[in-house]
Amino acid sequence: MLVVTRLRTPRPDAAAEDELRRGLLHALGILAAKPGYVGGEVGRNVDDPALWVLTTRWENVGSYRRALGSFEGKMHVQPLMVHALDEPSAYEVVEEGTDLNEAQPRSIG
């Protein structure tokens, strides 16, 4: 699964940008240490420098949810989400032979 979380810098100044950047890189490091993590990166929008993205890939939705629910996730990752845009962030990766967007919850296994 793919998680794309877009975040906006809370204030248009260098200190706020640096704080969010450091926070996102720290969050990525925490998530990378969790079981089921496949990969990820932090990015900054080329047209709107106040817009950032944290993209991670996971073996399954359960791994992602457990990582966010861990002690470190609650202490260091979840607080950054106050800057996240209010939009869906979890995506299924398109693979040959899979059904997508079924109207039912996914397994958390």
Side-chain angles (χ1 to χ4, degrees), residues 3-71:
V3 180
V4 179
T5 306
R6 297 187 315 144
L7 307 97
R8 186 159 297 281
T9 305
R11 297 178 315 279
D13 63 60
E17 292 168 0
D18 186 55
E19 183 178 345
L20 185 57
R21 178 184 179 152
R22 284 184 286 112
L24 288 170
L25 291 171
H26 183 64
L28 184 61
I30 289 169
L31 295 172
K34 298 300 178 191
Y37 176 86
V38 175
E41 47 273 326
V42 171
R44 188 175 188 181
N45 189 281
V46 296
D47 297 314
D48 181 355
L51 189 59
W52 294 78
V53 66
L54 172 63
T55 304
T56 54
R57 290 176 304 285
W58 298 87
E59 290 177 2
N60 53 56
V61 69
S63 296
Y64 170 64
R65 290 179 178 163
R66 283 188 291 277
L68 281 184
S70 70
F71 176 77

Side-chain angles (χ1 to χ4, degrees), residues 66-80:
R66 283 188 291 277
L68 281 184
S70 70
F71 176 77
E72 298 88 354
K74 289 178 182 175
M75 294 298 296
H76 302 288
V77 180
Q78 289 185 20
L80 290 172

